[in-house]
Each structure stands twice: as structure tokens, then as C-alpha cells.
Amino acid sequence: MNHNDISSLTIDGTEGYSPFIYKRRRSIEVNIGDTPIGENNPIRIQSMASVSTMDTDEAVEQAQRVIDAGADYLRFTAQGVKEANNLGIIRERLTGKGYKTPLVADIHFNPKAADAALDSVEKVRINPGNYVDTKYAVPKTWDDTEFTEMNKVVQERFGEFVEKAKKLKRAIRIGVNHGSLSERMMARYGDSPRGMVESCLEYLRVCLDHDFKDIVISMKSSNTIVMTQAVRLLVKTLEEQRLPAFPLHLGVTEAGEGEDGRIKSAVGIGSLLADGLGDTIRVSLSEDPEFEIPVAIKLRDYIVEREKQLPLTEVLPTAHEYELYKQNARKDTFCIKGLIGGNALPVVISTKATEEQIKEWEMKPDLTLHKGEYRTTNGTNMGDVRFVEADYLTLTEELEHEIKSHPNTVVILNTFGINPVAEWRLGFTWLRKKGIKAPIILKKVYDEQDLSSFRLECAADVGSILLDGWSNGLMISAPSLPENKVVATMYGILQASRLRMSKTEFISCPSCGRTLYNIQETIGKIKAATSHLKGLKIGIMGCIVNGPGEMADADYGYVGSGPGKIDLYKQQEKVRKGIPQEEAVEQLVNLIKENGDWQEPS
């Protein structure tokens, strides 16, 4: 995938924006039932029901659990008109029980279902990739005439929908998914953040033509790099074209479950929240939806705490300076001993591990710090390498001279405040402004005693910097937590940032009413069979809506194609179709073996 078209994309997005101060982007207020979003409203939390929309009793009971957990909005899938109509019954039942939380209908492929949903719930999500566009068995070339003709179809059909939403005072989410971009947009703009933004703008202009502004926008992908770049590019484009600052819905699709799902979500969502972007968030986990809510609340509260912090220094660098100095920052450093810096993989450094402990660990650090001495765990002699620790307050001319006078210096950049992202950025900018290209390691000590909270906080902080393009390694510690879990978290963050594969990656969607099998149970079976395949990416998708697209860079895919039926993919090619579910995991393993990617568990 090529992202070169936005390699110089700024992180700007707020009037008076500075990468060194936390400040929320001021979006316009959008009415969603009696729970508005944007402007001065808090960052809203939401989830999506996993039960069938036609099972009214189960839907109401699950909605109560999710709302009681703290959700501000709850989404249900509406595959057809009957599901959309049943949302009205669910709405009535919940209202009768005293629950006024706005409900959202999730629509794919079916404009008639979208129309019906407007009569039932407070907000309707449509996907520009499949609202009226269709994919063809033989891909079209889409010349200008054909592209324009389909645009007219969008204007007419979506325009009717917008007029009805306007009349009923409903809100609309224009929800762009990287995995389901239309063939037409991909042909013109590529499978890229630019294609995602242009897909959104086409539908957004229809809304504005009808003087309709109760709009929320999302740019989602299972790839944290694509997701964050698409959101930033959208914000930049709205500003450049002088369009309203519509509220943003943030989420990493198909993030997975457990530790990996939480880390991946925190990297993508947290890095945007840290720059003040985002008005509502959904942490998409392959778990029951009520378990998503505490994760989202924790992530939000951790970031917005930074509103209390005053500017870190009297004279801050400008956003332009930061953008200038961050370009290719990670690779544009000296490489020392072939291990740290340059094109070398980011390293993981443990501050507590002993040699005896490491022998028992599945994931071993690259280096350890023991009695002031840095040692590699693979026997590499660090020789005359010097490790110099500093933070943004201790970067002085004397330190500049010390670093420059020794060619084999690694800078350990520490942080102590409530906004580590800003402090690290100040340090990076100062070092690069001084012409220092020594490798830089991120250091932070977390006081958290809860492992899950530590993972979220660390992933949000470190992920922000990694996605910026900085840092040649991590040196994170949490004295109250097991060191092997801390080391595993560092590796997990690097993998979620697409920088270093250290284990099997599972790209799995959260269950919803479209899911054609028990996805949580299936994930467990697939993990049990394949989790030892280091570096392999496996997509586990409930249905075809986003499945084949979101797992586009996966090595293998497992996709629900019908009740009790599974399709298997090798990369983007469907290679086995309609397999009975009870045989599918075994056949997935056989497919991996046939293609030479299998290893026996050690």
C-alpha cells in the first residue's frame, strides 16, 4: 500500500493548534436525539450490539447492559427494511424502560433500509462505499463519463435520504471504511487515505447542497497507519476547503480481542485524541459490547486529563518546526552496531529483567539495563556505545556537545508529566533542530498497578510518537507489574503500529447482527491452532461487508459467507468457498500448510 501522497501530512486540525499542547479541535454541534455531539460536549462513548436486530428481547436486554456500562449511543445493524422497522420496536421498548440513549442504524448495500431506519432511530450510518455503488465481476475502468454518471446517482438517491433526515430531524454518520471503498473510488484514487476522504466528500457535498449539517464523519481501517492518516487528511481537507468542522467518530475496525485488541485500539484512537481530534469513540473488540465501554472511557479520560496542563515552556516551537523536523525521523538517524537506529527494527529494552528470567520468557527484550550497563540478550557486544538519558528540560548546549562528540551515542528520552506525547515531541524537535541524528529511545515509568490500564495508557502515548515517525526503540517500565508483561506490551505496541511483527496478528471483527457464526468461539479455536505462527496475519471476519477489504494485507482470511458456511482467502483471493463451519478451522490450517507458511509448535 502506498501512502506517499500524504507523506508530508501535518497533524494540524485545530485553530491555534500546537503539537506541544493538548487542545480539542472545535467541531460544530450536531444533534443526536437528546445527546448532542461536538462543540463543548464531552467526547461521547458508543458501542454496537452483537445480537440479531430481529431478536427484540435479546436486543433490549443487551442494550440495557451496554447503556448501563456508560454508552452515550448504541448502534444496531439493519440489513433490510424489516430490521430497520424492528429498531422502532426496540426504541419503544427501551424508552418504556426509561432508556433514552440514542440508537443508531448501521446500513450497508440497502438504501431502502436506510430510509426505513430514519422512522425508527435518532441516527443512521451509511457507508459511501456500498450505499449505491456496486462491485462488478469484471472490474470497470471508470472513465470520467461513467464516474460522473454514478455521482449523479449518488446526488439523486442520497439527496432523497438527506431530505427525509432533515424533515425528521435525524442525524447521519458518513462512515467510510477502508475495507469497503467503492470500486469507483479505488479506480480513481487508489486503495488509500485519499480515496477514503474523497469518498466522504462526495456524500458530504450532497448534505451541504441540501443545507443539512447534522453529520458525523468516520474514517476507519484495521490498519492504524491508514486510519490515522485518513482522519488527519480529512481534517486538513475540510479546513482547506473551508467546510464546517463536522464531529469525528474514531475507531480501529477489526482490532481483535483481549490484549491485542485493546493495544491496537489505543494506538489508533489514542494518537488522534492526543492531538485533540475526535468527538466520539468506539473501541471495536471481538467481545460482548458492554466490555468495550470501560476501555473507551479509560482511554478518553486518560487523554483529556491533559487539559489541566499549562504550556511546558515559555517559548514553544511552532507546529511547522515540528512537522519539518519529523520527516523520515525514525530512519534518518545513525545506525549503531546494526542494531539501533537507521533502518533497524525498533528495539525493546527492559530495565528489570534478569538473565534467568529471560530464559523462561517467550518474548525476550533486545537489551537489558543491569547495574547501569546495557547488555544485549543475543550476545552482541555494545562496545563503546554510550547511552545518554535526558528529558526536554535537561537538553542543553553542554549535552548537545557531549552527544555530537561521540558518534556512537543513543539518546534515552524520558518524560515525567501528564502529557508525555508533548514532552517527547519537544525533545525530538530540539535534538533535530540541533542537527543531532543519534537514535532515540522512548523512556517512561508508569505507576499503574492495573495491567489493562497500563497497556491502554502506554499504547496511546507511545503509539502517538511511533505513528508520527519518531523513535528507534522503547524503554518502558511499570514497577508494580510483571516485567514480562511490560516487555510483551512494548512488542504489542510496535506490532499495532506496523513497525515490528513479533507474533501472529489476528484481524478480527467485533460481532454484530450480520455475523454468521459465533465469532468469539471461532477466534479461540483459530488462535489455539495458529498463534505460534510468528509474523503471520490472519483475518477472521463475520461477513463480507468489510471482511475481504479490511483483511487486504492479511496472509489468510476466514470469512462468513452464509449460515454455517465459511470462505477461505489467501491474501485477497478467495480460494475455498462454502466450507461447513465445523471443518473450516482444519481447512484453514491445511491451507497454511499447503502454502509453506506452517511451522510446528515448539
Side-chain angles (χ1 to χ4, degrees):
M1 189 175 298
N2 188 353
H3 309 303
N4 292 335
D5 58 331
I6 55 172
S7 59
S8 61
L9 179 63
T10 71
I11 54 178
D12 223 338
T14 304
E15 183 181 352
Y17 170 79
S18 168
F20 313 106
I21 302 173
Y22 174 77
K23 180 180 179 181
R24 276 188 68 189
R25 166 184 178 260
R26 177 59 66 89
S27 57
I28 66 171
E29 187 172 68
V30 166
N31 294 305
I32 305 174
D34 61 359
T35 310
I37 187 176
E39 204 171 53
N40 293 318
N41 293 292
I43 297 171
R44 303 295 190 184
I45 304 299
Q46 62 179 283
S47 184
M48 184 171 183
S50 61
V51 299
S52 168
T53 307
M54 295 306 296
D55 190 336
T56 306
D57 291 340
E58 283 290 331
V60 170
E61 289 177 11
Q62 187 174 74
Q64 290 178 262
R65 293 196 299 272
V66 176
I67 295 168
D68 289 344
D72 296 303
Y73 311 120
L74 178 61
R75 183 162 38 120
F76 285 87
T77 186
Q79 302 97 309
V81 172
K82 65 177 183 178
E83 286 87 359
N85 289 337
N86 202 55
L87 282 175
I89 298 174
I90 295 170
R91 171 72 281 167
E92 290 176 4
R93 291 267 298 271
L94 285 169
T95 301
K97 291 175 175 287
Y99 290 86
K100 297 182 179 180
T101 299
L103 303 184
V104 185
D106 192 67
I107 307 295
H108 294 274
F109 304 113
N110 198 332
K112 290 183 179 179
D115 294 339
L118 288 174
D119 294 316
S120 301
V121 295
E122 292 83 352
K123 178 182 172 187
V124 176
R125 178 273 174 111
I126 62 95
N127 183 343
N130 55 39
Y131 183 76
V132 293
D133 277 88
T134 57
K135 294 186 185 293
Y136 294 83
V138 179
K140 292 172 65 68
T141 55
W142 290 102
D143 60 29
D144 288 347
T145 300
E146 292 172 314
F147 193 95
T148 301
E149 286 301 314
M150 183 55 77
N151 175 258
K152 290 178 180 178
V153 174
V154 170
Q155 292 180 41
E156 181 178 350
R157 186 63 185 90
F158 187 56
E160 295 172 0
F161 174 76
V162 171
E163 277 299 316
K164 183 174 181 180
K166 184 178 177 181
K167 179 181 178 180
L168 294 175
K169 299 187 184 304
R170 305 302 198 192
I172 296 173
R173 170 154 72 99
I174 300 175
V176 182
N177 273 19
H178 180 233
S180 54
L181 277 180
S182 71
E183 182 181 281
R184 178 169 58 102
M185 287 294 171
M186 288 178 64
R188 175 157 293 196
Y189 299 106
D191 185 14
S192 67
R194 173 62 69 185
M196 295 172 68
V197 170
E198 293 298 335
S199 183
C200 170
L201 291 176
E202 181 178 55
Y203 280 70
L204 185 58
R205 291 186 183 106
V206 176
C207 293
L208 296 176
D209 287 344
H210 289 264
D211 193 28
F212 181 82
K213 294 183 180 178
D214 279 333
I215 304 160
V216 179
I217 300 173
S218 64
M219 301 269 126
K220 292 192 176 184
S221 172
S222 62
N223 183 316
T224 56
I225 297 174
V226 174
M227 174 260 190
T228 53
Q229 286 183 341
V231 172
R232 296 187 194 284
L233 181 59
L234 171 72
V235 171
K236 188 177 193 303
T237 304
L238 292 178
E239 289 183 336
E240 290 175 346
Q241 298 187 11
R242 299 185 182 279
L243 297 173
F246 292 104
L248 301 173
H249 169 131
L250 304 184
V252 178
T253 61
E254 285 75 45
E257 46 86 66
E259 168 193 348
D260 294 336
R262 285 159 173 77
I263 287 175
K264 194 171 186 180
S265 293
V267 167
I269 297 171
S271 63
L272 292 169
L273 289 179
D275 284 324
L277 302 178
D279 301 278
T280 179
I281 62 176
R282 189 257 172 126
V283 175
S284 299
L285 300 175
S286 301
E287 302 173 19
D288 292 340
E290 56 264 38
F291 297 134
E292 296 178 349
I293 304 302
V295 180
I297 291 173
K298 170 66 182 179
L299 186 56
R300 175 196 64 188
D301 292 351
Y302 178 65
I303 298 295
V304 300
E305 180 75 9
R306 297 168 191 182
E307 291 176 330
K308 301 175 182 178
Q309 188 175 47
L310 297 173
L312 298 173
T313 64
E314 291 183 7
V315 181
L316 290 170
T318 66
H320 174 72
E321 282 182 293
Y322 180 71
E323 294 297 333
L324 177 65
Y325 294 129
K326 87 169 190 180
Q327 298 307 316
N328 299 312
R330 182 180 299 111
K331 293 184 178 180
D332 192 23
T333 55
F334 303 131
C335 186
I336 297 177
K337 302 287 184 181
L339 180 65
I340 307 176
N343 289 319
L345 294 173
V347 295
V348 168
I349 303 176
S350 170
T351 60
K352 287 174 57 180
T354 66
E355 291 182 5
E356 289 303 313
Q357 287 176 321
I358 292 174
K359 290 177 182 178
E360 305 298 323
W361 294 356
E362 183 177 348
M363 305 182 77
K364 305 180 187 332
D366 299 298
L367 293 93
T368 59
L369 175 59
H370 182 69
K371 295 182 179 179
E373 181 182 354
Y374 288 87
R375 302 175 181 175
T376 67
T377 52
N378 64 1
T380 301
N381 182 4
M382 298 305 291
D384 61 347
V385 178
R386 296 175 71 252
F387 292 83
V388 175
E389 185 171 326
D391 58 73
Y392 80 100
L393 290 172
T394 60
L395 293 169
T396 61
E397 290 185 2
E398 290 78 13
L399 186 63
E400 174 190 356
H401 175 73
E402 181 183 346
I403 294 172
K404 287 182 176 179
S405 64
H406 197 294
N408 281 348
T409 297
V410 176
V411 177
I412 308 290
L413 197 57
N414 207 344
T415 176
F416 302 99
I418 63 172
N419 192 345
V421 173
E423 292 187 10
W424 278 326
R425 284 174 172 170
L426 277 172
F428 290 141
T429 305
W430 185 91
L431 289 165
R432 190 49 57 93
K433 193 172 184 177
K434 295 295 185 180
I436 294 172
K437 293 191 176 183
I440 301 173
I441 307 296
L442 299 179
K443 179 180 179 181
K444 181 171 171 56
V445 179
Y446 287 86
D447 294 329
E448 273 289 353
Q449 298 187 25
D450 176 70
L451 181 58
S452 181
S453 295
F454 161 71
R455 285 169 175 157
L456 288 177
E457 294 173 10
C458 187
D461 294 336
V462 173
S464 295
I465 302 303
L466 295 176
L467 293 182
D468 274 358
W470 284 100
S471 180
N472 303 100
L474 308 178
M475 185 172 161
I476 304 299
S477 60
S480 299
L481 299 174
E483 185 68 3
N484 62 328
K485 299 296 185 181
V486 175
V487 169
T489 297
M490 286 189 271
Y491 277 114
I493 294 169
L494 290 173
Q495 181 150 321
S497 305
R498 299 296 175 114
L499 291 173
R500 183 171 178 179
M501 298 289 290
S502 56
K503 54 187 174 181
T504 315
E505 179 169 350
F506 297 96
I507 305 167
S508 62
C509 62
S511 183
C512 74
R514 294 187 301 268
T515 303
L516 300 168
Y517 57 89
N518 186 321
I519 197 163
Q520 293 184 40
E521 179 182 299
T522 301
I523 290 170
K525 291 179 179 179
I526 293 177
K527 278 193 167 185
T530 64
S531 60
H532 64 288
L533 301 174
K534 178 181 176 181
L536 212 62
K537 295 194 284 290
I538 299 176
I540 309 169
M541 303 294 164
C543 71
I544 63 169
V545 171
N546 298 314
E550 289 296 357
M551 64 179 196
D553 64 347
D555 300 291
Y556 297 91
Y558 180 109
V559 181
S561 58
K565 299 295 182 182
I566 304 297
D567 291 347
L568 297 181
Y569 286 71
K570 175 71 173 77
Q571 295 177 328
Q572 297 185 55
E573 181 184 356
K574 186 189 300 182
V575 293
R576 297 184 187 179
K577 183 178 179 181
I579 301 168
Q581 184 184 345
E582 58 271 18
E583 303 174 10
V585 174
E586 182 181 355
Q587 291 213 31
L588 173 64
V589 170
N590 290 337
L591 181 63
I592 295 171
K593 289 180 177 179
E594 290 169 11
N595 284 274
D597 291 323
W598 181 262
Q599 303 169 20
E600 291 299 329
S602 57

